[in-house]
Amino acid sequence: RYLVERVGLCADCHSPRNEKGQFIMEHWLKGAALPFQPTVEMPWSPVAPPLAGLPSMTNEEGVRFMQEGTRPDGSRPRPPMPEFRFNEEDARAVVAYLKSLQP
């Protein structure tokens, strides 16, 4: 939980907010439209996908993503997603926490 919430700050993009800027807790880490854009033209993802339950990856795929920054198909996510380089222990902890969340 610490790595997801305090180090990776995953909720900042992957959780929607209400009109006051507060997280909508019933949709915690369930994906959200990004409320910001780059100031220069670049490849950009306008939506952050759901992370609760880690529905798009197996455990091993999630670990690889957290260590190498590659999706199961070998592609890399578009900005603003950072390329995390967690060590294996931390990557496994992140995946275990995400998998434990209700989708």
Side-chain angles (χ1 to χ4, degrees):
R1 182 177 180 178
Y2 173 79
L3 292 170
V4 169
E5 294 181 8
R6 302 291 180 195
V7 176
L9 301 172
C10 303
D12 284 358
C13 292
H14 294 271
S15 296
R17 296 174 186 258
N18 64 22
E19 62 281 348
K20 294 180 181 178
Q22 301 163 326
F23 289 115
I24 302 170
M25 296 311 292
E26 331 42 274
H27 299 288
W28 183 253
L29 295 176
K30 293 185 179 179
L34 297 177
F36 55 91
Q37 299 177 34
T39 58
V40 296
E41 192 171 322
M42 67 172 64
W44 189 260
S45 182
V47 176
L51 295 181
L54 202 59
S56 65
M57 296 182 198
T58 66
N59 287 1
E60 291 307 312
E61 290 168 342
V63 169
R64 189 175 319 110
F65 182 78
M66 289 291 124
Q67 289 188 282
E68 300 171 10
T70 55
R71 294 185 182 122
D73 68 2
S75 68
R76 295 190 182 279
R78 290 182 288 173
M81 180 65 189
E83 293 184 15
F84 288 115
R85 295 294 187 264
F86 286 108
N87 65 38
E88 184 174 356
E89 180 182 1
D90 288 347
R92 289 193 181 282
V94 167
V95 169
Y97 176 70
L98 294 175
K99 288 282 189 181
S100 76
L101 300 175
Q102 295 287 327

